[in-house]
Amino acid sequence: MSQEVVPSSGPKGLLQQMEELMAALNADLSQLDADLQQSAGRPAPADEPDCV
């Protein structure tokens, strides 16, 4: 995983960068969950988190 250093313009820039990273992480985790569910032979749940 590569990390890019992006100059931010204060807290708003940092917040936006964190939101983008969280969105990317969420997408990656969703894909991983779908892959694991498929490999286990079970359909992925619609929108039910395994734990809160």
Side-chain angles (χ1 to χ4, degrees):
M1 179 186 288
S2 64
Q3 294 180 347
E4 298 179 11
V5 178
V6 179
S8 61
S9 58
K12 283 190 177 182
L14 181 58
L15 180 59
Q16 181 178 352
Q17 193 175 1
M18 289 180 65
E19 288 175 348
E20 291 172 1
L21 287 170
M22 290 300 293
L25 178 61
N26 192 32
D28 287 346
L29 289 174
S30 295
Q31 184 62 52
L32 177 61
D33 183 48
D35 292 345
L36 289 173
Q37 294 290 337
Q38 186 177 17
S39 69
R42 294 179 297 175
D47 264 328
E48 300 176 18
D50 289 342
C51 59
V52 176

